[in-house]
Amino acid sequence: MARPLRLEFPGAVYHVTARGDRREPIFLDDADRLIFIDLLAKEITQQGWLLYAFCLMDNHYHLLLETPEANLVRGMRRLNGVYTQAFNRRHRLVGHLLQGRYKSILVDKDAYLRELCRYVVLNPVRVKKKGAASVADYRWSSYLPTVGRGAAPAWLAVEQVRALFGTTPAVACKAYERFVAQGLGQSSPWEALSGQIYLGSEGFLKRMQKLADAKPGANLTRRHRQPLRPSATAVLRQVAREYGIGEKNVLDRSQPQAFKMAVYRLRREANLTLGEVAVLAGVSPPRISQIQAEMERLGKG
């Protein structure tokens, strides 16, 4: 069976991540990081991408980029493929380096570009083990060149990012620096994620749905075609309100009726798989199936 294609269009903005196979490191030293950055720079130039932010962690990376042309897949396939070859050749290894395909989230530029320019560079500080003491202490992200602490490479869209925070470079750099510092105590932007692949306003989601529906032969996933389904977080929040309990208590089984309703709605409304709901609920997939069948017999939902 052919793998589902990704939704691509001119001007799309993506948050892209790729992790090491079995969560193992994809950068063993600074030489590896420099090789990856060189390949990334070449791909940005070749594809005409705008790279707003990046961060290289030990076993994964983050890219926040815009594709003026509909060419994310072409560029990412080459970037990951060539880097894997270079890594294996340098370290005398064979086989997979990355864990499956990279993950790409379509982003509403107007609503979330600023927030993700902060989120991406804060990743080293959020890591509990071996994390950086501050975002300014970490070399392998776009933060330092964006705030003017070092030369900015031509392939990094620092001017576009600064324009989001001020009309002059000095003012913008200080404003971005403050904005990033304020982000440590704030919730993750992924709480607003829809269908696991869309981050944006309701209007943005509707536009994405129209684009997906206009590509009948593109073999898009069901989640690409139904981005307006509620997220798991939204479902649990609604069940908590209806039963008058805390959101954290919905899936701890202390309230059996709320628990069953949440399981049912996660399957029917959020469209999660049996396995995904089982992980959230802490029970087996067969038990999730039993609850779903029971709720359907009772006509709940």
Side-chain angles (χ1 to χ4, degrees):
M1 179 182 293
R3 292 186 299 183
L5 301 181
R6 301 179 190 271
L7 186 57
E8 297 181 289
F9 57 92
V13 176
Y14 301 90
H15 175 264
V16 178
T17 57
R19 295 187 176 275
D21 197 25
R22 298 178 299 277
R23 296 185 177 272
E24 293 181 352
I26 61 175
F27 307 110
L28 296 182
D29 52 29
D30 288 351
D32 284 340
R33 294 179 178 88
L34 289 171
I35 291 171
F36 181 87
I37 286 177
D38 180 62
L39 294 173
L40 175 61
K42 291 177 179 177
E43 210 56 50
I44 290 169
T45 302
Q46 175 69 26
Q47 304 300 333
W49 292 344
L50 292 171
L51 183 68
Y52 296 112
F54 75 90
C55 184
L56 309 186
M57 303 295 285
D58 287 344
N59 69 350
H60 68 283
Y61 65 74
H62 297 258
L63 307 176
L64 179 61
L65 58 88
E66 181 173 346
T67 58
E69 302 174 41
N71 57 2
L72 177 72
V73 172
R74 178 181 301 177
M76 288 304 304
R77 181 185 297 124
R78 182 158 53 190
L79 173 62
N80 285 345
V82 175
Y83 178 68
T84 295
Q85 294 170 8
F87 181 94
N88 284 346
R89 185 166 54 247
R90 181 168 183 261
H91 297 289
R92 298 181 180 181
L93 298 172
V94 296
H96 297 291
L97 173 64
L98 299 173
Q99 181 181 316
R101 303 173 79 194
Y102 61 91
K103 181 178 181 180
S104 61
I105 294 173
L106 269 164
V107 176
D108 183 344
K109 182 178 179 179
D110 294 336
Y112 283 98
L113 183 60
R114 277 170 52 100
E115 179 58 41
L116 290 182
C117 284
R118 169 167 66 185
Y119 172 85
V120 167
V121 300
L122 278 174
N123 271 274
V125 185
R126 291 194 178 99
V127 174
K128 295 181 180 179
K129 295 181 179 179
K130 300 181 181 179
S134 73
V135 66
D137 293 332
Y138 198 72
R139 291 178 55 197
W140 304 103
S141 82
S142 55
Y143 177 79
L144 292 175
T146 303
V147 298
R149 301 186 190 182
W155 46 266
L156 185 62
V158 294
E159 293 182 3
Q160 290 86 340
V161 174
R162 291 173 183 172
L164 300 171
F165 296 91
T167 56
T168 66
V171 171
C173 288
K174 288 296 183 182
Y176 179 62
E177 190 172 358
R178 289 194 300 271
F179 184 72
V180 171
Q182 293 165 357
L184 280 174
Q186 300 196 8
S187 59
S188 169
W190 307 129
E191 291 184 3
L193 198 63
S194 179
Q196 299 187 17
I197 50 174
Y198 298 96
L199 182 66
S201 65
E202 185 175 347
F204 173 79
L205 298 179
K206 289 180 179 178
R207 293 196 300 274
M208 295 304 99
Q209 187 169 32
K210 287 182 179 179
L211 283 172
D213 290 341
K215 297 179 180 291
N219 193 27
L220 296 169
T221 66
R222 181 168 51 186
R223 283 183 177 147
H224 273 84
R225 296 193 179 282
Q226 298 174 323
L228 295 179
R229 287 184 179 273
S231 66
T233 299
V235 168
L236 297 179
R237 186 177 297 124
Q238 179 62 31
V239 173
R241 282 199 298 263
E242 291 177 3
Y243 284 82
I245 60 177
E247 188 175 333
K248 293 182 179 180
N249 296 327
V250 173
L251 289 178
D252 67 5
R253 284 173 279 176
S254 63
Q255 300 287 332
Q257 294 307 313
F259 177 82
K260 291 179 180 179
M261 180 60 73
V263 165
Y264 177 75
R265 290 189 179 177
L266 287 171
R267 285 284 291 143
R268 284 302 184 196
E269 296 179 11
N271 200 30
L272 301 188
T273 66
L274 286 172
E276 289 169 339
V277 180
V279 170
L280 289 174
V283 297
S284 67
R287 177 57 182 148
I288 298 299
S289 183
Q290 291 171 358
I291 293 173
Q292 181 181 349
E294 176 186 341
M295 297 296 283
E296 288 174 346
R297 286 197 301 270
L298 295 175
K300 300 292 185 180

